Structure formats: C-alpha cells, structure tokens
Amino acid sequence: MKKTLIAATAMMTVMGSASFAETIGASIARFDDNFLTVMRNGMVDYADGLEDVELQVEDAQDDVAKQLDQINNFIASGVDAIIVNAVDTSATQAMTQAAASAGVPLVYVNRQPINVDTLPDDQAFVASNEIESGTLAAFEACKLARAQGLAAGADAYILMGQLSNQAAVQRTKDVDDVIGMDMCNFINIIDRQTAEWSRNEAQDQMTNWMSSGEPFDIVFANNDEMAIGAIQAMKANGMSMEDVIVVGVDATQDALVAMQAGDLDATVFQDAFGQGEGSVDAALALARGEEVDQKVYIPFQLVTPENVDEFLDEN
C-alpha cells in the first residue's frame, strides 16, 4: 500500500510539473534567409536552456497564407504564446485578430507589423529601430565619399529588399533622408531596384546595371546578402573594389569576411540572437500575465573595418 501511495504521489508530481510547462509556437518568414536563421537559432538555443519551455518553430516559406495557417494551428493546439516573423508586414492585421480572438499572446519579431501602433495589450514587437539601420549605413557611405574627394558629385545605386517588408521601405527612406542632408546632397541615385533580400538576385541586378556602362561610385544595399551579391557581380566584371563604396545592413558572418577582404566598406550590426531571445522572453512574460513594453528595441551598431573584430563572434 505504501509503495502504491508513493507511486501515485510521484505520478501526480510529474503531471503537476507538466501542467506548468509552457509552449510557444513560432512562425518564421523563411528558413533560407541567413540573418533569420541566426535569429531562429538564437530563439531555439535560448528556449532549450529554459526549464519547462517548449518552442515549436515553423517555416512560412515566404507565404502569407501558410503563415496565417500556422498561427491558427498553433492556436488550435493550445500554445501559451505565439512568435511571428512576418512574411508581409503590411498583412499582419489578420494574425493579430486571430490571436486576440483566441486570447493567445503574440509577439512580432524583427519585422515591424503595419499595425504596430494599435496592437492589443497582450501583443508586442521586438526588433531594432530601422530608422537607425539605413541611416548609419548611408551616413557612413556619405562620409567615405567625401573623404575620397567625391563631394563634387557621386552616383549611386540602391538595392532594396522585398517591398512588402517594412524594413526595406524604411532602410530605403533612410538613404533618401541622408542624401537629402546638406553635407550629403552631392550623391545622385541613378536607379533603385528590389533584389528581394537575395544574394543571387542582387548579383543579377548589379550585372544588368553594369551592362549599361554608366559609371557609379556607391552601392547602398538594404541588407548584407544583397551587398555581397553586388560585390560578386562587380568583381566578376573586373571592377576594383577600391573604386566603389558598398554598404549593407545586418553584420552577418559572410559580410564581415567580405569586410576583412576589403570588399565591403560598412554594415550595421543587427543583434539576431538578441532579437530571438527578446522575443522568447516577451512571449513568456505575456503568457504569464506580466507587463511588457509593446515596442522592445535592441540598438543597431555601425560596423567598419576599424571595429570589425568586435563583431566576429556575434551574428
């Protein structure tokens, strides 16, 4: 009889502890994006180190409908909170409404939802302020151009990310705002095209631009992958990287290697691990009924050849 009581007590203890386990569902826009992969790994590693926390991560494969289905499936399975890295930042109202109607806390991470200023109390946004990212990169390009004696006039191209993404829109606006300043208004934008955040598409676009034979001095890229694609195209065309200024955003490992090789002039560190961890913390806090700032910003930092060593072990 005593053994039976002990066994029953042990079973109740196990069941009791299991009932307190918290499950988070996470839908990531695409698994084949380098930066988002680092962010996702940061989320997974951080959650693995927490007691009684389970993180379920799904790949939305750049499909808005698939992402909404994933959110609805998370809700149906009874998760305690949801994290969303939005495929299309202009189409987040339905996701917000689905989670709010079900009473499931939701945290947007990295990509700012269009309804960020009207999120319900149990929803939040964790990222870095994109006004900083494009501004830091563009202003550094302006300073480098002036230092190289181009203040009388410099021509530039802009490689934009997916236009359905708030970060691409804001980073491009940041460039426009910087070159609208008195000290940088010598920069003329020849053309701007989207390369969908993709290295390959950026390489193709840069090749097309060079085929026109029009000289240029600066390439502004909304992210490092596109900056690297542009660099590959220029080098394949026999262009010396000393003759052009190239800036990106994210400070990915590949970008830092390109910087050490003298190909990339500047990038901006976006803390992928910090955003991933911050989104998990926010999701757990909301699930527990705790107060969370609705906008949690993790600072960007300018990366140049002078301080690149400080970021080699980050993203």
Side-chain angles (χ1 to χ4, degrees), residues 204-232:
D204 290 343
Q205 181 58 57
M206 195 74 240
T207 299
N208 289 339
W209 277 331
M210 287 188 295
S211 68
S212 72
E214 189 163 6
F216 60 96
D217 308 288
I218 305 170
V219 176
F220 298 101
N222 282 173
N223 77 338
D224 288 338
E225 282 295 287
M226 293 187 296
I228 292 170
I231 289 168
Q232 290 174 335

Side-chain angles (χ1 to χ4, degrees), residues 46-285:
Y46 183 58
D48 284 347
L50 299 176
E51 188 175 354
D52 293 329
V53 174
E54 179 185 356
L55 180 66
Q56 302 172 2
V57 186
E58 299 286 345
D59 182 2
Q61 299 177 342
D62 241 3
D63 185 323
V64 175
K66 180 185 286 290
Q67 185 159 65
L68 185 56
D69 284 344
Q70 289 171 350
I71 292 168
N72 286 326
N73 289 339
F74 285 144
I75 293 170
S77 69
V79 298
D80 297 288
I82 297 170
I83 297 172
V84 174
N85 169 247
V87 169
D88 183 345
T89 56
S90 65
T92 51
Q93 294 97 328
M95 301 173 194
T96 290
Q97 185 58 46
S101 296
V104 179
L106 184 149
V107 175
Y108 291 101
V109 62
N110 179 254
R111 297 181 173 183
Q112 180 175 305
I114 193 170
N115 55 327
V116 67
D117 293 323
T118 58
L119 294 176
D121 290 340
D122 63 347
Q123 296 188 15
F125 171 54
V126 177
S128 299
N129 190 338
E130 293 296 350
I131 294 175
E132 298 175 5
S133 61
T135 301
L136 287 168
F139 192 64
E140 182 66 14
C142 169
K143 290 194 297 180
L144 290 171
R146 293 183 70 90
Q148 293 179 18
L150 296 173
D155 293 312
Y157 288 114
I158 303 178
L159 286 164
M160 301 181 292
Q162 292 170 311
L163 299 183
S164 62
N165 190 300
Q166 180 270 344
V169 174
Q170 184 61 55
R171 291 176 189 180
T172 303
K173 181 180 183 299
D174 294 340
V175 175
D176 289 332
D177 289 345
V178 167
I179 66 176
M181 300 167 55
D182 287 345
M183 72 170 291
C184 300
N185 63 10
F186 62 90
I187 300 173
N188 168 59
I189 303 299
I190 304 170
D191 193 16
R192 62 186 71 198
Q193 295 293 334
T194 179
E196 303 286 328
W197 303 120
S198 166
R199 184 183 304 196
N200 291 338
E201 293 195 32
Q203 184 171 2
D204 290 343
Q205 181 58 57
M206 195 74 240
T207 299
N208 289 339
W209 277 331
M210 287 188 295
S211 68
S212 72
E214 189 163 6
F216 60 96
D217 308 288
I218 305 170
V219 176
F220 298 101
N222 282 173
N223 77 338
D224 288 338
E225 282 295 287
M226 293 187 296
I228 292 170
I231 289 168
Q232 290 174 335
M234 287 183 279
K235 293 177 77 171
N237 200 53
M239 188 171 182
S240 171
M241 297 313 299
E242 293 182 0
D243 296 333
V244 63
I245 297 165
V246 183
V247 297
V249 176
D250 285 339
T252 62
Q253 288 300 307
D254 285 352
L256 301 184
V257 170
M259 182 174 289
Q260 289 178 308
D263 297 334
L264 182 68
D265 294 282
T267 184
V268 182
F269 174 63
Q270 181 175 198
D271 191 346
F273 277 99
Q275 290 183 12
E277 292 178 7
S279 67
V280 172
D281 279 337
L284 289 173

